[in-house]
Amino acid sequence: MTQSLVNLLPSFMPDRSAATPIFEQICAAFRSRIRSGALAEGARLPATRALAQDLGVARATVVTAYEQLVAEGYLAVRQGSGYVVCAMGEVELPAQASTAPTPEPMERPVLLLEAGQPDMRLFPHRAWGKCVARLCRTRPQDLLTGCGRLGHPELRQAIAAHVRDWRGIEARPEQVLVTSGATEALDICLHALAAPGSTVGVEDPGYPLIRLFAERQGRQIRDLLLDPQGAEVPRLDEATSTVVLTPSHQFPLGGAMSAGRRQAFVQWAAQRQGWIIEDDYDSEFRYAGRPIPALASVDAQGRTVYIGSFSKIFSNSLRMGYVVAPEPLVEALRRAMQIRGARASAMPQAALAEFMLRGEFYRHLRRVRRLYAERHRLLIERLRDRFGHLGQVTDHQAGMQVVLHLPPHLKDSQVAQAARHAGVGAEALSDYCQSQSTTGKAYNGLVLGACLNDLDEQLEAMARLATVISSTE
Ligand SMILES: Cc1ncc(COP(=O)(O)O)c(C=O)c1O
């Protein structure tokens, strides 16, 4: 073993009998050494080949681990130095001596563990403020004009780069349409792609607003039931011609659609001449392994329209999302935006573009991903510790919420209601389901937000939930 490994990871050896993949064991060892300060900012990591040799693992395993740590913001790649340790808490700039009042710290959320909510206390106020101030000084007209109906050209360019780097989608900025959130994007896509009276396939359980929009627009609904591979594929002889899917991270259950099922949907769309609307609302939050490529990136036939959102990764009050459409659909979507009166707020668009193009957005993203990964992991651990005897919690290592499945004698709607009274924002899983009464499949559980609260607040929520559950039993 090299001296470097002895110093860097004393007594670490991969455990081949453990369920955790070896690359993740390596990640965990480095994370804990970096967090404890044992590996200081700027420390150089051994070359991948040398570490792989010392640990007796494939070099690719070490490369995967290093790249994962880069994505999480623990490591950076420096030219000539290889992988080096990043500064922790790098986002907080030292306070400037100034007479400006210090902003009030944001209060803690009223409801704990509310599903799908980001922790807005982590919003990068200072970096965002600097960006807006710079724009106001240097090109104020950009905040007021220059933003066409489809979005600010620079933001469309930044989004095209983002989906290429993070989701593997090759698209020109002209294929990007900026909306006031994924919700508005879903409404527009349904309007443009599903003709009045046609049938839209929606996941069951799934995001209730999709069903609501489709029904309001006079479309029929076909429930797509879920199995371990993902949503069922409609038959070719069925009326269904458009489907809305959450393949990277099923909402609300959380799993990723299998590669085979993705391929089956792509084939279905090609043969049926149908459309897939891919709702990719929170896919940036994948905590282990490589990001799963978007379905749109593997659909060579161009029958998938991709929807993304800034609500989870940046700010849920900004109200900003986007559609990335195959070229031939852009005009139909533009018309749908016009008819539906859709338009994203113009003022923040240039600032968001600047924020992304300067890299601040990614610094923020790395930081929250790191924190959310920890919160997500611990919430699952704590739920299993306290409530494991009641029901199971699956760790999908992704997303912002987790589901605690409950036994039949604990009705999820009752527990969720009591939990809300006790200050825990649990949602009943059965509220997201349509056809469980007809299929006999019982979805009974609590949907809990993993990202909103810090670890102490999480503990408090656990205690409140335990009281609620024991009084409901
Ligand atoms: C599955 C799903 N799609 C879309 C959205 C909407 O996102 P936005 O806030 O960008 O409208 C959400 C929000 O929670 C969601 O859970």
Side-chain angles (χ1 to χ4, degrees), residues 116 180-184 186 207 210 246 251 279 281 308-312 316 319-321 401:
S180 70
T183 312
E184 187 176 77
L186 283 163
Y207 186 50
I210 300 170
T246 52
F251 182 89
D279 177 2
Y281 61 104
S309 171
F310 289 103
S311 293
K312 313 291 183 196
N316 52 6
R319 299 306 313 141
M320 200 85 80
Q401 61 233 10

Side-chain angles (χ1 to χ4, degrees), residues 158-430:
I159 292 171
H162 177 73
V163 298
R164 185 196 56 228
D165 295 347
W166 283 71
R167 314 300 298 120
I169 301 172
E170 288 299 336
R172 298 188 309 117
E174 292 75 16
Q175 292 169 251
V176 176
L177 293 80
V178 180
T179 65
S180 70
T183 312
E184 187 176 77
L186 283 163
D187 187 50
I188 295 161
C189 289
L190 284 170
H191 184 92
L193 303 178
S198 68
T199 303
V200 178
V202 301
E203 293 174 330
D204 181 16
Y207 186 50
L209 284 185
I210 300 170
R211 179 179 300 274
L212 186 76
F213 289 157
E215 281 171 353
R216 277 204 192 139
Q217 292 183 26
R219 277 62 171 167
Q220 308 295 314
I221 301 288
R222 154 78 153 94
D223 291 313
L224 304 176
L225 302 183
L226 300 175
D227 63 33
Q229 312 296 314
E232 64 176 315
V233 186
R235 293 187 319 274
L236 286 171
D237 59 0
E238 281 185 37
T240 312
S241 54
T242 306
V243 295
V244 188
L245 304 172
T246 52
S248 298
H249 187 229
Q250 205 281 329
F251 182 89
L253 294 179
M257 187 180 279
S258 72
R261 188 61 56 83
R262 285 160 182 256
Q263 213 41 53
F265 267 109
V266 169
Q267 256 170 27
W268 167 85
Q271 290 172 352
R272 179 68 181 78
Q273 293 291 287
W275 298 109
I276 300 170
I277 301 172
E278 178 174 16
D279 177 2
D280 208 27
Y281 61 104
D282 73 350
S283 62
E284 284 86 354
F285 296 132
R286 186 146 202 94
Y287 307 125
R290 289 167 182 280
I292 299 171
L295 183 53
S297 75
V298 295
D299 177 7
Q301 307 293 321
R303 304 207 67 88
T304 305
V305 181
Y306 177 88
I307 292 177
S309 171
F310 289 103
S311 293
K312 313 291 183 196
I313 47 175
F314 190 50
S315 157
N316 52 6
S317 57
L318 189 66
R319 299 306 313 141
M320 200 85 80
Y322 52 92
V323 179
V324 182
E327 206 120 34
L329 285 183
V330 172
E331 179 50 27
L333 286 161
R334 190 196 62 75
R335 273 202 310 275
M337 280 181 89
Q338 205 165 10
I339 292 166
R340 305 295 294 166
R343 188 164 215 157
S345 172
M347 203 178 243
Q349 291 195 32
L352 182 56
E354 168 110 349
F355 202 71
M356 290 174 84
L357 295 169
R358 282 180 173 266
E360 292 291 354
F361 178 76
Y362 296 99
R363 194 163 305 155
H364 169 69
L365 187 47
R366 282 200 300 274
R367 177 179 180 233
V368 290
R369 248 162 61 110
R370 203 159 63 213
L371 285 165
Y372 288 175
E374 177 85 345
R375 292 177 182 185
H376 189 269
R377 186 182 61 75
L378 263 174
L379 180 63
I380 289 173
E381 216 171 278
R382 288 170 171 174
L383 285 170
R384 283 176 177 163
D385 270 4
R386 281 193 105 127
F387 308 110
H389 62 291
L390 290 175
Q392 142 246 3
V393 185
T394 309
D395 184 359
H396 296 289
Q397 304 202 329
M400 305 182 75
Q401 61 233 10
V402 295
V403 178
L404 168 64
H405 294 272
L406 294 174
H409 73 276
L410 284 171
K411 195 136 183 27
D412 61 1
S413 48
Q414 271 169 21
V415 182
Q417 197 182 21
R420 285 189 159 255
H421 278 128
V424 179
E427 305 271 0
L429 179 58
S430 58

Side-chain angles (χ1 to χ4, degrees), residues 5-27:
L5 181 59
V6 176
N7 295 336
L8 284 171
L9 297 179
S11 74
F12 172 77
M13 262 297 143
D15 176 0
R16 289 173 199 284
S17 63
T20 313
I22 289 176
F23 90 87
E24 181 47 37
Q25 293 180 34
I26 300 173
C27 285

